[in-house]
Amino acid sequence: MASVQWSCLILALLSGLVIPGFPGSPSRQLEKRSLSEGEVDGIEVYSTKISCKVTSRFAHNVVTTRAVNRANAAKEVSFDVELPKTAFITNFTLTIDCDTYSGNVKEKEVAKKQYEKAVSQGKTAGLVKASGRKLEKFTVSVNIAAGSKVTFELTYEELLKRHKGKYEMYLKVQPKQLVQHFEIEADIFEPQGISTLDAKASFITNDVLGSALTKSYSGKKGHVSFKPNLDQQRTCPTCTDSLINGDFTITYDVNRESPANVQIVNGYFVHFFAPQGLPVVPKNIVFVIDISGSMQGRKMEQTKDALLKILEDVQEDDYLNFILFSGDVTTWKDHLVQATPENIQEARTFVRNIHDQGMTNINDGLLRGISMLNKAREEDIVPERSTSIVIMLTDGDANVGESRTPKIQENVRNAIGGKFPLYNLGFGHNLNYNFLESMALENNGFARRIYEDSDANLQLQGFYEEVANPLLTGVEVEYPENAILDLTQNTYKHFYDGSEIVVAGRLVDQDMNSFTADVKGHGAINDLTFTEEVDMKDMEKALQERDYIFGNYIERLWAYLTIEQLLERRKNAQGDEKENLTAQALDLSLKYHFVTPLTSMVVTKPEDNENQTAIVDKSGEGPVDSVIPSMAYLDSYQTPPTPYYYVDGDPHFIIQVAEKDDAICFNIDEEPGTVLRLVQDPITGFTVNGQIIGDKSGSPNSETRKTYFGKLGIANTQMDFRIEVTPEKITLWNGAAQSTFSWLDTVQVTQDG
Ligand SMILES: *[C@@H]1O[C@H](CO)[C@@H](O)[C@H](O)[C@H]1NC(C)=O
Ligand SMILES: *[C@@H]1O[C@H](CO)[C@@H](O)[C@H](O)[C@H]1NC(C)=O
Ligand SMILES: *[C@@H]1O[C@H](CO)[C@@H](O)[C@H](O)[C@H]1NC(C)=O
């Protein structure tokens, strides 16, 4: 085998490639030494701290990990953090001994060019990828010299949204080794006063948690600290494995004596609105359910199970109907019926007898449901003070009837005419989620993914609970004319019990003495207007302690919300409008240092020079230097509709590490003609070789030339047997006998032994 130059590049790129662990242990664990506790393969992670500061629902989190390489050779350390998909990374710094590399947010295209250059030079990169339902993963790996120390610091921010009566902050922790100083610390400041606060860890029993966890709240301040010592981290008294692996969740809510709360700081205001104790507005619900063949089996059982549970929660003054679509559309009733006990009983029987069949006609299913709701309104079948919603569940793409998605969207938009919201639930991954989301958003609803898992029925029910209790419809938030600028969304179809409406903006006149906000909406019994008068002096007093947390949070909250809403509107915009929305969101992302889908973060050493970026030469020519990344690339990753693996040029190797969930990825950058031995099994006698070829352009410049495998050979000396595969043909040698096959043939060859 030719000597191989390993341009060693540790990339956590695609699923299956990620080095898990937070902070990660070295990805290669060839020998497990136990020189000292909390040291794995020479790397000791001696400190991990997650510090969360929440002010008025706006969370600012800093994750800091410190490690030292106690081995007598350079080692790799990786730093993995899973953060909520709704969060924006705002900073990342990496310090190796005394050198600090810090992050700069750049427009994606600009960052990408720098990133590609760094990757082509074999430097370390880190990025964010989707990970699970709520989280995405940020990964950076770095090689550090013997005796060196490294500090990683990641900062991210998010606006905590109220669901089912509480705000939830979700932290995934997975240190993978005992850590001398492990700490999670959260400080919460809420001007309305905190009414409940709880913290739970999914991985630890209450009695252990008891002494490591403290939580308290009083007035406006809440505090949570989780600080397990080494013994509390052990899986057993004599173990050196860490039991800290899972979710750490902090939940809280604030006092609701007043339906609204307005806060103003430095000319920016935020207005929180969540009235309590209103009666629920009766609902007219049409469930449009996909029963096509692909729903067969567990998905169908879970859907039926969820619908039966939902039927238990339907109120007697609600109206409902079921529309089932496959290739055809069938309905339970010809029109909406009231949820009387008799009708609910009948509905249960109907649901139990649903069977899957045929194709997927989304268009006709939705249009039937929508026209039924329109008709119910026109013919006064449903009460005047009621609200309509369509909930559609599908697990696939439209493939019969009208299957052009833009046309379906147009039909649905015209049929609904802005009168009620459409919620789309996408079951599993085998569907066009962007289409479902876009259609829901343009009809005042939203889309949700239902993950194919044992709890899919609970996910469906959970979604229903969120929309089951509308307290107000047609909500409009109004401010004095000409007093405000840059307002975020201020009209909402519904206010649901347990949620919260948040509007933010900027004041034209910073020195005004008072501020008035009106919220109007239609309730179950009457129309309501909530007026909130803010006296600036009183509010200043109420916010006095805010510096205890962090300064310009309202401005950042406003920027976060504005960017989030611009990105959402952008999904359905076209042409100039889309460009305008993109430009606005990009400007704000750059100004406020947010890593969003339009920006990336480039991490460089301020006075970066070429000598800072060494490359490990695995073949042992010269001493092994530490590889210092000249940059990492932090990116917000969009889930592709289907898993997608693609690399171009320079053979990429992915090695699964035995008994670990880990993989190593590296490139081989070799001259065309080189033969690499890929596999050698001395027991069976099999070897697999690959020969490298250049690309067709034949560029002589080795910097830009891409190389590929052009020939694979599989041989077994014991059996005197050899196969050679090229893009043109397949050649088989059995002893001296040679057979050649083209790729067009289907051949089965059997040989004794
Ligand atoms: C990023 O973090 C570093 C280290 O804490 C800090 O010095 C720097 O000012 C931060 N950058 C921004 C833009 O906040
Ligand atoms: C977007 O459009 C608005 C009004 O149409 C305009 O005032 C604004 O300058 C535009 N923004 C950008 C970034 O092009
Ligand atoms: C990089 O290192 C070489 C050799 O040690 C030295 O001659 C050169 O000046 C260095 N370059 C920079 C930019 O520091």
Side-chain angles (χ1 to χ4, degrees), residues 283-290 303 306-311 314 318-325 329-332 336 344 347 350-351 354 365-366 368-370 372-373 389-393 423 425 460 463-464 467-468:
K283 300 179 296 294
N284 315 313
I285 326 166
V286 167
F287 294 95
V288 180
I289 307 291
D290 182 347
T303 301
L307 290 175
L308 290 171
K309 289 275 172 23
I310 287 170
L311 282 173
V314 172
D318 291 341
Y319 279 70
L320 78 160
N321 201 352
F322 292 99
I323 316 285
L324 308 181
F325 68 92
V329 177
T330 55
T331 65
W332 171 43
L336 270 86
I344 291 291
F350 174 79
V351 167
I354 295 176
L366 273 174
R368 181 77 68 91
I370 294 163
M372 213 171 260
L373 279 172
I389 56 178
V390 184
I391 298 177
M392 196 264 284
L393 172 79
Y423 297 101
L425 304 177
L460 283 165
F463 163 80
Y464 179 76
V467 299

Side-chain angles (χ1 to χ4, degrees), residues 51-56 60 185-191 194 197 216-224 542-553:
S51 154
C52 315
K53 297 202 179 302
V54 184
T55 305
S56 301
H60 175 90
E185 186 148 44
D187 285 305
I188 301 170
F189 178 78
E190 288 290 346
I194 294 172
L197 172 87
S216 62
Y217 65 95
S218 154
K220 296 171 189 162
K221 295 180 189 175
H223 182 81
V224 174
L543 294 180
Q544 247 162 20
E545 293 145 296
R546 78 190 155 81
D547 285 335
Y548 151 80
I549 308 286
F550 65 102
N552 59 343
Y553 70 97

Side-chain angles (χ1 to χ4, degrees), residues 576-577 579-585 587:
D576 287 350
E577 193 197 352
E579 273 176 31
N580 184 301
L581 293 170
T582 306
Q584 291 183 52
D587 278 357

